Amino acid sequence: GAGVSQSPRYKVAKRGQDVALRCDPISGHVSLFWYQQALGQGPEFLTYFQNEAQLDKSGLPSDRFFAERPEGSVSTLKIQRTQQEDSAVYLCASSSKGAGGPTDTQYFGPGTRLTVL
Amino acid sequence: GENVEQHPSTLSVQEGDSAVIKCTYSDSASNYFPWYKQELGKGPQLIIDIRSNVGEKKDQRIAVTLNKTAKHFSLHITETQPEDSAVYFCAASLIGQGGKLIFGQGTELSVKP
């Protein structure tokens, strides 16, 4: 596709359930980022991949959050035992360049809105 | 770590007027400053960016200025149109560190016809 896609667009989970959010980056993009955006706030960094390597996971709020990108393309953000405070929009972004190079534009997907009841 | 403050949180202008949004950052090492526009239900879209080796950049009705000494940068939109109505975010990053963006809190711009 032409842009970053994310699925599902909306997810409702009961507290304690596990969820998996998918990101399809722009084809050939080296870098992939996950951000969390609470209502009325700016996006907050969660984690960063360069190809299949997770180079920075400093923004993950707890060990209930786990992300992977096993083949260097599609990425999945998994949240275990969801809590109400996990309710937010989860944004994925990709860029064509990797760490150490000039920062390139990050292209964002539409996000997944997660609501935990 | 880096912290970005953005003002104002809301801004209402008449069509044709100019709009200015200001951001300050804390980490003097930051050297890349993009601005994103986010419409309801959509992801952020880059509208302009600036690197620390320049003080100003323009693209049609949009311009960004950077003052490294004061650690602040601003977005200027001239001849505003109703379709400019959206939430705007500034961000800061350190080139060479993976490109992690630190965002401001956002400014909701409303352009009244």
Side-chain angles (χ1 to χ4, degrees):
Chain A
V4 178
S5 61
Q6 293 186 245
S7 60
R9 290 295 314 278
Y10 304 92
K11 177 69 178 178
V12 178
K14 293 183 179 179
R15 189 174 56 180
Q17 284 184 331
D18 298 348
V19 298
L21 313 180
R22 178 187 170 106
C23 172
D24 285 80
I26 295 172
S27 178
H29 274 196
V30 170
S31 295
L32 186 146
F33 304 82
W34 284 99
Y35 294 85
Q36 180 190 61
Q37 186 174 26
L39 189 63
Q41 301 295 316
E44 292 191 356
F45 171 80
L46 293 176
T47 187
Y48 160 65
F49 290 86
Q50 181 175 312
N51 296 310
E52 68 278 4
Q54 189 174 21
L55 299 186
D56 187 347
K57 53 182 181 180
S58 62
L60 296 177
S62 76
D63 58 8
R64 297 186 295 104
F65 287 71
F66 172 77
E68 60 183 4
R69 193 186 185 199
E71 298 179 356
S73 55
V74 171
S75 177
T76 303
L77 176 67
K78 297 179 179 179
I79 308 173
Q80 297 177 325
R81 305 181 303 282
T82 52
Q83 304 295 316
Q84 286 187 325
E85 60 263 29
D86 299 335
S87 295
V89 174
Y90 291 85
L91 294 165
C92 175
S94 70
S95 70
S96 61
K97 292 189 173 63
T103 299
D104 200 6
T105 300
Q106 288 188 28
Y107 297 89
F108 281 81
T112 295
R113 180 176 295 279
L114 173 65
T115 302
V116 181
L117 302 177
Chain B
E2 175 66 278
N3 183 56
V4 177
E5 297 288 334
Q6 182 172 346
H7 301 279
S9 56
T10 61
L11 180 58
S12 182
V13 300
Q14 288 295 131
E15 182 177 359
D17 287 350
S18 296
V20 180
I21 302 171
K22 299 181 178 182
C23 289
T24 60
Y25 60 99
S26 61
D27 188 350
S28 57
S30 290
N31 53 15
Y32 174 66
F33 308 93
W35 285 88
Y36 283 85
K37 174 183 181 182
Q38 188 174 29
E39 297 175 320
L40 199 62
K42 297 184 179 180
Q45 179 182 15
L46 181 79
I47 55 171
I48 195 167
D49 60 13
I50 191 168
R51 286 166 172 75
S52 59
N53 57 345
V54 297
E56 184 176 4
K57 183 177 179 180
K58 290 184 179 180
D59 183 5
Q60 300 182 344
R61 297 186 296 110
I62 295 173
V64 57
T65 59
L66 171 65
N67 183 325
K68 287 190 297 181
T69 302
K71 290 189 285 188
H72 66 70
F73 55 113
S74 300
L75 177 71
H76 305 252
I77 305 174
T78 59
E79 302 172 19
T80 54
Q81 301 166 3
E83 51 265 37
D84 293 330
S85 297
V87 179
Y88 291 79
F89 291 98
C90 62
S93 178
L94 177 60
I95 293 175
Q97 296 297 318
K100 172 175 69 176
L101 295 173
I102 306 300
F103 284 87
Q105 298 88 341
T107 296
E108 184 174 4
L109 174 64
S110 175
V111 180
K112 298 183 178 180

